[in-house]
PDB file of all heavy atoms in Angstrom:
ATOM      1  N   LYS A 186      76.396 107.810  76.891  1.00 97.00           N
ATOM      2  CA  LYS A 186      77.623 108.015  76.080  1.00 97.00           C
ATOM      3  C   LYS A 186      77.354 107.869  74.537  1.00 97.00           C
ATOM      4  O   LYS A 186      78.201 108.171  73.829  1.00 97.00           O
ATOM      5  CB  LYS A 186      78.748 107.065  76.457  1.00 97.00           C
ATOM      6  CG  LYS A 186      79.167 107.221  77.939  1.00 97.00           C
ATOM      7  CD  LYS A 186      80.203 108.426  77.986  1.00 97.00           C
ATOM      8  CE  LYS A 186      80.636 108.771  79.423  1.00 97.00           C
ATOM      9  NZ  LYS A 186      79.680 109.618  80.109  1.00 97.00           N
ATOM     10  N   MET A 187      76.201 107.346  74.181  1.00 98.00           N
ATOM     11  CA  MET A 187      76.015 107.148  72.679  1.00 98.00           C
ATOM     12  C   MET A 187      75.712 108.478  72.067  1.00 98.00           C
ATOM     13  O   MET A 187      75.741 108.677  70.772  1.00 98.00           O
ATOM     14  CB  MET A 187      74.803 106.266  72.436  1.00 98.00           C
ATOM     15  CG  MET A 187      74.995 104.861  73.146  1.00 98.00           C
ATOM     16  SD  MET A 187      75.863 103.723  72.036  1.00 98.00           S
ATOM     17  CE  MET A 187      74.518 103.025  71.211  1.00 98.00           C
ATOM     18  N   THR A 188      75.252 109.490  72.889  1.00 98.00           N
ATOM     19  CA  THR A 188      75.247 110.846  72.212  1.00 98.00           C
ATOM     20  C   THR A 188      76.092 111.751  73.103  1.00 98.00           C
ATOM     21  O   THR A 188      76.459 111.525  74.205  1.00 98.00           O
ATOM     22  CB  THR A 188      73.706 111.372  72.351  1.00 98.00           C
ATOM     23  OG1 THR A 188      73.260 111.124  73.681  1.00 98.00           O
ATOM     24  CG2 THR A 188      72.782 110.578  71.413  1.00 98.00           C
ATOM     25  N   ARG A 189      76.462 112.996  72.447  1.00 97.00           N
ATOM     26  CA  ARG A 189      77.360 113.851  73.130  1.00 97.00           C
ATOM     27  C   ARG A 189      76.671 114.432  74.362  1.00 97.00           C
ATOM     28  O   ARG A 189      77.208 114.609  75.514  1.00 97.00           O
ATOM     29  CB  ARG A 189      77.617 115.069  72.239  1.00 97.00           C
ATOM     30  CG  ARG A 189      78.547 116.133  72.768  1.00 97.00           C
ATOM     31  CD  ARG A 189      78.940 117.120  71.656  1.00 97.00           C
ATOM     32  NE  ARG A 189      79.613 118.282  72.273  1.00 97.00           N
ATOM     33  CZ  ARG A 189      80.106 119.161  71.573  1.00 97.00           C
ATOM     34  NH1 ARG A 189      79.937 119.417  70.324  1.00 97.00           N
ATOM     35  NH2 ARG A 189      80.733 120.196  72.234  1.00 97.00           N
ATOM     36  N   ASN A 190      75.357 114.771  74.267  1.00 98.00           N
ATOM     37  CA  ASN A 190      74.505 115.098  75.462  1.00 98.00           C
ATOM     38  C   ASN A 190      73.266 114.400  75.325  1.00 98.00           C
ATOM     39  O   ASN A 190      72.966 113.756  74.309  1.00 98.00           O
ATOM     40  CB  ASN A 190      74.293 116.622  75.323  1.00 98.00           C
ATOM     41  CG  ASN A 190      75.540 117.383  75.693  1.00 98.00           C
ATOM     42  OD1 ASN A 190      76.131 117.373  76.821  1.00 98.00           O
ATOM     43  ND2 ASN A 190      76.075 118.037  74.717  1.00 98.00           N
ATOM     44  N   THR A 191      72.365 114.555  76.255  1.00 98.00           N
ATOM     45  CA  THR A 191      71.039 113.933  76.120  1.00 98.00           C
ATOM     46  C   THR A 191      69.938 114.936  75.823  1.00 98.00           C
ATOM     47  O   THR A 191      69.849 115.931  76.547  1.00 98.00           O
ATOM     48  CB  THR A 191      70.746 113.185  77.523  1.00 98.00           C
ATOM     49  OG1 THR A 191      71.585 112.140  77.626  1.00 98.00           O
ATOM     50  CG2 THR A 191      69.192 112.630  77.433  1.00 98.00           C
ATOM     51  N   LEU A 192      69.377 114.871  74.638  1.00 98.00           N
ATOM     52  CA  LEU A 192      68.392 115.853  74.213  1.00 98.00           C
ATOM     53  C   LEU A 192      67.114 115.616  75.053  1.00 98.00           C
ATOM     54  O   LEU A 192      66.578 114.536  75.169  1.00 98.00           O
ATOM     55  CB  LEU A 192      68.055 115.642  72.745  1.00 98.00           C
ATOM     56  CG  LEU A 192      66.841 116.349  72.212  1.00 98.00           C
ATOM     57  CD1 LEU A 192      66.877 117.883  72.428  1.00 98.00           C
ATOM     58  CD2 LEU A 192      66.591 116.133  70.758  1.00 98.00           C
ATOM     59  N   ASP A 193      66.767 116.701  75.879  1.00 98.00           N
ATOM     60  CA  ASP A 193      65.719 116.599  76.849  1.00 98.00           C
ATOM     61  C   ASP A 193      64.430 117.146  75.985  1.00 98.00           C
ATOM     62  O   ASP A 193      64.107 118.342  76.160  1.00 98.00           O
ATOM     63  CB  ASP A 193      66.055 117.434  78.046  1.00 98.00           C
ATOM     64  CG  ASP A 193      64.908 117.375  79.090  1.00 98.00           C
ATOM     65  OD1 ASP A 193      63.841 116.677  78.901  1.00 98.00           O
ATOM     66  OD2 ASP A 193      64.952 118.236  80.093  1.00 98.00           O
ATOM     67  N   ILE A 194      63.790 116.215  75.372  1.00 98.00           N
ATOM     68  CA  ILE A 194      62.516 116.644  74.612  1.00 98.00           C
ATOM     69  C   ILE A 194      61.478 117.196  75.499  1.00 98.00           C
ATOM     70  O   ILE A 194      60.860 118.170  75.209  1.00 98.00           O
ATOM     71  CB  ILE A 194      62.047 115.414  73.787  1.00 98.00           C
ATOM     72  CG1 ILE A 194      62.905 115.221  72.529  1.00 98.00           C
ATOM     73  CG2 ILE A 194      60.597 115.590  73.389  1.00 98.00           C
ATOM     74  CD1 ILE A 194      62.703 116.283  71.392  1.00 98.00           C
ATOM     75  N   SER A 195      61.382 116.728  76.685  1.00 98.00           N
ATOM     76  CA  SER A 195      60.317 117.194  77.618  1.00 98.00           C
ATOM     77  C   SER A 195      60.599 118.644  77.917  1.00 98.00           C
ATOM     78  O   SER A 195      59.650 119.338  78.382  1.00 98.00           O
ATOM     79  CB  SER A 195      60.318 116.314  78.853  1.00 98.00           C
ATOM     80  OG  SER A 195      61.541 116.457  79.572  1.00 98.00           O
ATOM     81  N   ALA A 196      61.813 119.096  77.761  1.00 98.00           N
ATOM     82  CA  ALA A 196      61.974 120.519  78.083  1.00 98.00           C
ATOM     83  C   ALA A 196      61.080 121.474  77.199  1.00 98.00           C
ATOM     84  O   ALA A 196      60.664 122.543  77.505  1.00 98.00           O
ATOM     85  CB  ALA A 196      63.480 120.922  77.873  1.00 98.00           C
TER      86      ALA A 196
END
Side-chain angles (χ1 to χ4, degrees):
K186 294 278 175 274
M187 303 269 273
T188 48
R189 179 175 174 179
N190 291 290
T191 295
L192 171 56
D193 179 9
I194 281 287
S195 61

